[in-house]
């Protein structure tokens, strides 16, 4: 069983978001980067499947060299090897093309990633990869099990409920909680990760189809209006008559 | 050239988020001097389709194939792509739902189109550009994105735009079908389980959300959240620690790694307001925070706040909410 897990390098979830003076790009100053939390669900589930059924887990990141500490972290958690496509990820289509190009060559049985990244929140890449490769994509899945060597059973969230889907391998799935319990790398993992292969490849030529021209932050709120807890019911009339949301 | 909107049905009616997408599509069509057509699949009543005229849709292409009653991405993509071809659509509009974003992503590949999800504004079209604003960094920021391909695909963030006033005429509903093969149903669901929605409101679609955190002390106290939600016609939600503790199911977890929501009113009870929680709810129009800790960081993001014990405050709110004339 060959599993590919695609990870993004994203600002830590506690980060305050700032942009460069021209508002053209994200300001990385003082920001800690982590493996995208949703990708961690995918990564841990892939490792669990490998531990149960054998095979290999390859980690793939489309990004620049500063992503390597988090790629090593994925190796420390239990992935076998890693590939970094040496490129600035300009948009979802560009990233999907890079993943598809690697997958075409290596023929993975399962391609997993998070349902979206917490920075660009696109919810696009997994479906684009499925479409580019002509294989099914199941998203967003919160459960993934193998029925046998050729079929997987997934549960995915739909608005108002869930669906159970069985697909033949190969397929793409995106992960959301509680697909797995993310792991913290142990010392042995950290030591062995240093010697695991991390291959750097150049991107395939692809033009992005979108262009980010400006970033901005939401307007600050006007401040909170406090209500006496003794007269809590007053809140309801304020919500109706002042805020007009009831 | 026209604008094509994909609308989703639920129990025969059109989802509110799809009505928003339909109105958005008709506004784009007006800007571009063309008309907006909708494509609908599966379980939607004919009269609900005709009422799309109120959102400015002039025609609805309806594929009633029984196999499409459940969502199957590849089959849906085929139908929508065929409708786009028939209408010569250069702008496709979806709701930013799990279904809309999934189908939109696949169509972006198939039609060589530019895709923007989580879109919060109508496009700006000056000087030949086509730029939309989308929510990024889990609602902590916005990005203006230029869509540079000939075909533009937009998934509209739920509750980001008001639905417009009724335009009047009923939309003309036409039967439509695309040639579907068994291969298109390779990833068809084996089983669909809907949540118990008796009297309940779906969280992703809700205009009012009442949410609870660890301050409620245990799942046995959740009736406070549920009773207030019921009195307000709201959906219920929870913070991440609450779903991690299995007090509530994961699909109710709102926040950066849960569901991102943007209702008109978000009421947080016993939630201190970690930055990750805030990221998932801060595009709510009005935020109410109830917490006994006056230093809870959530008060900084709130519009209305009550410092008090949830067990004393919430019953008063329920009583006042029940007294509202609906």
């Amino acid at each position: 069983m060959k599993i590919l897990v695609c990870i993004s390098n994203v600002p830590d979830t506690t980060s305050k978001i700032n942009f460069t003076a021209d508002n053209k790009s994200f300001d990385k100053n003082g920001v800690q980067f982590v493996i995208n939390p949703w990708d961690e669900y995918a990564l841990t589930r892939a490792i669990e499947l490998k531990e149960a059924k054998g095979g290999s887990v390859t980690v793939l990141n489309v990004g620049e060299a500063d992503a390597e500490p988090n790629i090593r972290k994925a190796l420390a958690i239990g992935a076998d090897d890693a590939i970094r496509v040496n490129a600035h990820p300009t948009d979802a289509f560009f990233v999907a093309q890079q993943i598809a190009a690697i997958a075409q060559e290596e023929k993975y049985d399962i391609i997993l990633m998070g349902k979206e990244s917490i920075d660009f929140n696109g919810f696009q890449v997994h479906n684009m990869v499925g479409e580019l490769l002509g294989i099914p994509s199941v998203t967003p899945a919160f459960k993934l099990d193998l029925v046998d060597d050729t079929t997987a059973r997934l549960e995915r969230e739909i608005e108002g409920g869930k669906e159970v889907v069985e697909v033949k391998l190969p397929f793409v799935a995106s992960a959301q909680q509680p697909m797995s319990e993310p792991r913290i790398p142990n010392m042995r993992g950290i030591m062995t990760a240093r010697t695991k292969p991390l291959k750097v490849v150049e991107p395939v030529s692809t033009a992005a189809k979108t262009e980010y021209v400006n970033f901005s932050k939401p307007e600050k709120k006007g401040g909170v209006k406090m209500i006496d807890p003794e007269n809590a019911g007053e809140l309801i009339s304020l919500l109706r008559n002042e805020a007009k949301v009831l | 050239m026209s604008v094509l909107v994909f609308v989703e049905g639920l129990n025969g009616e059109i989802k509110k988020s799809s009505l928003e997408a339909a109105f958005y599509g008709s506004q784009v069509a007006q800007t571009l001097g063309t008309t907006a057509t909708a494509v609908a699949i599966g379980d939607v009543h004919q009269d609900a389709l005709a009422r799309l005229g109120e959102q400015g849709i002039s025609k609805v292409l309806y594929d009633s194939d029984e196999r499409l009653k459940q969502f199957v991405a590849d089959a849906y993509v085929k139908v929508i792509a065929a409708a786009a071809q028939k209408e010569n659509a250069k702008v496709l509009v979806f709701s930013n739902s799990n279904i809309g974003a999934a189908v939109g992503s696949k169509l972006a590949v198939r039609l060589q189109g530019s895709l923007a999800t989580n879109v919060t504004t109508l496009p700006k079209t000056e000087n030949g550009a086509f730029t939309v604003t989308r929510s990024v960094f889990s609602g902590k920021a916005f990005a203006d994105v230029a869509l540079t391909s000939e075909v533009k695909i937009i998934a509209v963030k739920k509750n980001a735009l008001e639905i417009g006033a009724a335009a009047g005429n009923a939309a003309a509903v036409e039967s439509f079908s695309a040639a579907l093969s068994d291969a298109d149903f390779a990833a068809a669901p084996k089983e669909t389980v809907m949540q118990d929605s008796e009297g309940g409101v779906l969280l992703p679609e809700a205009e009012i959300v009442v949410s609870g955190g660890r301050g409620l002390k245990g799942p046995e106290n959740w009736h406070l959240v549920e009773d207030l939600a019921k009195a307000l016609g709201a959906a219920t939600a929870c913070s991440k620690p609450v779903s991690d503790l299995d007090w509530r199911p994961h699909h109710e977890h709102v926040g950066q790694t849960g569901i991102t929501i943007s209702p008109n009113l978000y009421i947080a009870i016993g939630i201190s307001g970690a930055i990750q929680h805030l990221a998932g709810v801060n595009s709510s129009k009005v935020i109410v925070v109830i917490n006994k800790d006056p230093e809870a960081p959530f008060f900084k993001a709130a519009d209305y706040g009550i410092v008090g014990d949830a067990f004393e405050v919430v019953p008063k709110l329920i009583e006042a909410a029940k007294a509202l004339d609906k």
Side-chain angles (χ1 to χ4, degrees), chain B residues 70-135:
Chain B
Q70 289 177 303
F71 171 59
V72 188
D74 289 322
Y76 275 43
V77 165
K78 224 173 193 180
V79 174
I80 300 166
Q85 193 182 15
K86 176 177 174 353
E87 295 297 306
N88 188 26
K90 298 291 180 234
V91 179
L92 279 72
V93 181
F94 299 81
S95 155
N96 199 74
S97 63
N98 285 348
I99 293 177
V103 175
S105 310
K106 285 176 161 282
L107 280 165
V109 173
R110 204 167 287 198
L111 305 178
Q112 298 282 300
S114 298
L115 167 65
T117 53
N118 256 332
V119 169
T120 59
T121 62
L122 286 163
K124 292 191 188 90
T125 54
E126 291 93 23
N127 305 323
F130 191 101
T131 308
V132 291
T133 303
R134 60 185 302 268
S135 173

Side-chain angles (χ1 to χ4, degrees), chain A residues 11-17 19 26 37-38 41 93 115-132 135-140 153 156-168 176-178 208-219 221-240 242-243 245-246, chain B residues 8 15 70-71 74 97-99 101-102 105-106 108-110 112-118 131 134-149 158 186-195 202 204 208 232 240 244 250-251 253 256-259 264-265 267 275-276 284-288 299 301-308 313 316-317 320-321 324-326:
Chain A
D12 182 278
T13 56
T14 59
S15 301
K16 290 223 159 88
I17 302 301
F19 300 99
F26 177 69
W38 280 307
Y41 295 112
F93 183 74
K115 68 169 184 160
E116 60 187 284
S117 66
I118 61 163
D119 49 4
F120 283 86
N121 304 110
F123 197 86
Q124 300 176 12
V125 175
H126 36 79
N127 280 300
M128 288 181 169
V129 170
E131 188 70 17
L132 287 164
I135 59 177
S137 40
V138 183
T139 67
R153 183 182 168 91
R156 73 157 169 237
E157 188 180 283
I158 55 170
E159 273 103 354
K162 65 171 186 179
E163 279 178 352
V164 180
V165 182
E166 281 187 11
V167 280
K168 294 276 178 211
Q176 71 168 52
Q177 63 170 339
K209 292 180 180 293
T210 56
E211 189 189 338
Y212 283 81
V213 289
N214 187 59
F215 290 93
S216 59
K217 294 212 274 186
E219 281 173 30
K221 291 218 171 194
V224 57
K225 186 178 225 176
M226 298 307 291
I227 291 139
D228 182 354
E230 292 302 314
N231 303 318
E234 188 198 336
L235 172 69
I236 299 295
S237 61
L238 284 170
L239 291 173
R240 168 163 282 193
E242 188 177 84
V245 287
L246 289 182
Chain B
E8 296 171 39
K15 285 185 183 173
Q70 289 177 303
F71 171 59
D74 289 322
S97 63
N98 285 348
I99 293 177
S105 310
K106 285 176 161 282
V109 173
R110 204 167 287 198
Q112 298 282 300
S114 298
L115 167 65
T117 53
N118 256 332
T131 308
R134 60 185 302 268
S135 173
V136 290
F137 293 97
S138 309
K140 292 185 217 170
F142 295 104
D144 297 335
V145 189
L147 307 187
T148 51
S149 303
K158 291 172 185 175
K190 288 250 174 238
E191 191 188 332
T192 303
V193 184
M194 298 309 280
Q195 296 158 24
L202 289 182
I208 305 174
L232 295 171
K240 185 169 190 293
D244 286 348
H250 279 281
H251 62 73
H253 158 208
Q256 192 161 24
T257 54
I259 299 179
N264 289 334
L265 173 60
I267 302 179
I275 193 166
Q276 295 95 333
S284 307
K285 289 199 177 83
V286 173
I287 295 176
V288 172
F299 283 117
D303 299 281
Y304 297 94
I306 300 179
V307 176
V313 168
K316 289 178 187 164
L317 295 179
L324 281 176
D325 51 320
K326 294 280 171 181

Side-chain angles (χ1 to χ4, degrees), chain A:
Chain A
M1 184 79 47
K2 276 180 77 173
I3 307 177
L4 180 70
V5 180
C6 309
I7 63 168
S8 287
N9 194 45
V10 298
D12 182 278
T13 56
T14 59
S15 301
K16 290 223 159 88
I17 302 301
N18 290 305
F19 300 99
T20 50
D22 62 359
N23 286 324
K24 297 275 185 209
S25 49
F26 177 69
D27 183 357
K28 291 181 176 180
N29 260 326
V31 175
Q32 181 83 25
F33 278 74
V34 295
I35 300 173
N36 180 43
W38 280 307
D39 298 340
E40 280 199 280
Y41 295 112
L43 174 66
T44 327
R45 187 65 192 135
I47 292 165
E48 288 168 356
L49 289 175
K50 180 192 80 164
E51 287 168 352
K53 312 270 179 187
S56 63
V57 174
T58 299
V59 168
L60 172 63
N61 169 258
V62 179
E64 290 157 315
D66 59 1
E68 291 198 0
N70 281 323
I71 299 174
R72 289 281 174 206
K73 185 184 168 192
L75 293 169
I77 289 170
D80 298 281
D81 58 354
I83 303 167
R84 179 170 68 81
V85 178
N86 185 32
H88 174 67
T90 44
D91 76 347
F93 183 74
F94 175 86
V95 173
Q97 284 278 20
Q98 305 309 324
I99 296 170
I102 301 275
Q104 284 286 18
E105 235 170 74
E106 294 292 331
K107 308 281 179 223
Y108 297 97
D109 298 300
I110 302 174
I111 302 172
L112 284 178
M113 64 191 85
K115 68 169 184 160
E116 60 187 284
S117 66
I118 61 163
D119 49 4
F120 283 86
N121 304 110
F123 197 86
Q124 300 176 12
V125 175
H126 36 79
N127 280 300
M128 288 181 169
V129 170
E131 188 70 17
L132 287 164
L133 294 172
I135 59 177
S137 40
V138 183
T139 67
F142 59 87
K143 204 163 184 220
L144 163 61
D145 291 299
L146 291 168
V147 177
D148 54 38
D149 290 344
T150 61
T151 311
R153 183 182 168 91
L154 298 104
E155 291 184 22
R156 73 157 169 237
E157 188 180 283
I158 55 170
E159 273 103 354
K162 65 171 186 179
E163 279 178 352
V164 180
V165 182
E166 281 187 11
V167 280
K168 294 276 178 211
L169 276 48
F171 66 91
V172 184
S174 79
Q176 71 168 52
Q177 63 170 339
M179 184 181 267
S180 64
E181 189 62 48
R183 295 179 186 178
I184 296 162
N186 57 29
M187 190 47 74
R188 188 181 145 79
I190 293 166
M191 298 305 284
T192 53
R194 290 181 186 168
T195 56
K196 287 179 178 174
L198 194 171
K199 191 164 77 176
V200 178
V201 299
E202 290 308 310
V204 292
S205 168
T206 301
K209 292 180 180 293
T210 56
E211 189 189 338
Y212 283 81
V213 289
N214 187 59
F215 290 93
S216 59
K217 294 212 274 186
E219 281 173 30
K220 284 221 156 68
K221 291 218 171 194
V224 57
K225 186 178 225 176
M226 298 307 291
I227 291 139
D228 182 354
E230 292 302 314
N231 303 318
E234 188 198 336
L235 172 69
I236 299 295
S237 61
L238 284 170
L239 291 173
R240 168 163 282 193
N241 302 317
E242 188 177 84
K244 303 196 187 305
V245 287
L246 289 182

Side-chain angles (χ1 to χ4, degrees), chain B:
Chain B
M1 176 324 215
S2 74
V3 173
L4 184 73
V5 182
F6 168 59
V7 294
E8 296 171 39
L10 184 70
N11 302 326
E13 294 299 322
I14 290 167
K15 285 185 183 173
K16 176 176 170 277
S17 50
S18 283
L19 295 177
E20 291 167 358
F23 182 68
Y24 184 100
S26 70
Q27 296 297 294
V28 177
Q30 212 169 51
T31 307
L32 300 176
T34 181
T35 55
T37 298
V39 56
I41 292 169
D43 183 19
V44 199
H45 297 145
Q46 294 277 319
D47 53 342
L49 294 173
R51 282 200 304 274
L52 282 166
E54 294 173 8
Q55 272 71 49
I57 297 291
S58 49
K59 182 168 73 176
V60 184
L61 302 174
Y62 176 50
D63 193 329
S64 60
D65 190 324
E66 282 287 321
R67 296 172 296 175
L68 297 168
K69 285 201 169 168
Q70 289 177 303
F71 171 59
V72 188
D74 289 322
Y76 275 43
V77 165
K78 224 173 193 180
V79 174
I80 300 166
Q85 193 182 15
K86 176 177 174 353
E87 295 297 306
N88 188 26
K90 298 291 180 234
V91 179
L92 279 72
V93 181
F94 299 81
S95 155
N96 199 74
S97 63
N98 285 348
I99 293 177
V103 175
S105 310
K106 285 176 161 282
L107 280 165
V109 173
R110 204 167 287 198
L111 305 178
Q112 298 282 300
S114 298
L115 167 65
T117 53
N118 256 332
V119 169
T120 59
T121 62
L122 286 163
K124 292 191 188 90
T125 54
E126 291 93 23
N127 305 323
F130 191 101
T131 308
V132 291
T133 303
R134 60 185 302 268
S135 173
V136 290
F137 293 97
S138 309
K140 292 185 217 170
F142 295 104
D144 297 335
V145 189
L147 307 187
T148 51
S149 303
E150 189 191 8
V151 173
K152 288 129 174 78
I153 305 175
I154 295 165
V156 184
K157 187 176 163 90
K158 291 172 185 175
N159 231 6
L161 295 145
E162 301 287 330
I163 297 176
N169 296 336
V173 182
E174 286 179 17
S175 299
F176 180 74
S177 61
L180 296 170
S181 67
D182 289 345
D184 299 320
F185 293 91
K190 288 250 174 238
E191 191 188 332
T192 303
V193 184
M194 298 309 280
Q195 296 158 24
D196 178 16
S197 59
E198 193 190 332
V201 180
L202 289 182
L203 177 58
E205 297 275 309
E207 291 188 37
I208 305 174
V209 175
V210 181
S211 186
R214 264 188 302 193
L216 282 160
K217 294 187 167 37
E220 68 279 7
N221 298 320
W222 223 256
H223 60 91
L224 287 171
V225 172
E226 285 165 338
D227 289 352
L228 182 57
K230 200 170 172 196
L232 295 171
T236 58
C238 68
S239 64
K240 185 169 190 293
V242 163
S243 69
D244 286 348
L245 288 163
D246 279 336
W247 294 359
R248 301 298 299 166
H250 279 281
H251 62 73
E252 284 196 10
H253 158 208
V254 290
Q256 192 161 24
T257 54
I259 299 179
T260 303
I261 53 168
S262 47
N264 289 334
L265 173 60
Y266 181 71
I267 302 179
I269 304 168
I271 299 174
S272 61
I275 193 166
Q276 295 95 333
H277 183 77
L278 210 52
V281 303
N282 63 0
S283 46
S284 307
K285 289 199 177 83
V286 173
I287 295 176
V288 172
V289 171
I290 299 160
N291 203 300
K292 68 178 180 186
D293 175 9
E295 301 299 320
F298 215 161
F299 283 117
K300 288 192 184 129
D303 299 281
Y304 297 94
I306 300 179
V307 176
D309 185 341
F311 297 94
E312 289 165 19
V313 168
V314 178
K316 289 178 187 164
L317 295 179
I318 294 169
E319 200 184 318
K322 280 183 179 166
L324 281 176
D325 51 320
K326 294 280 171 181

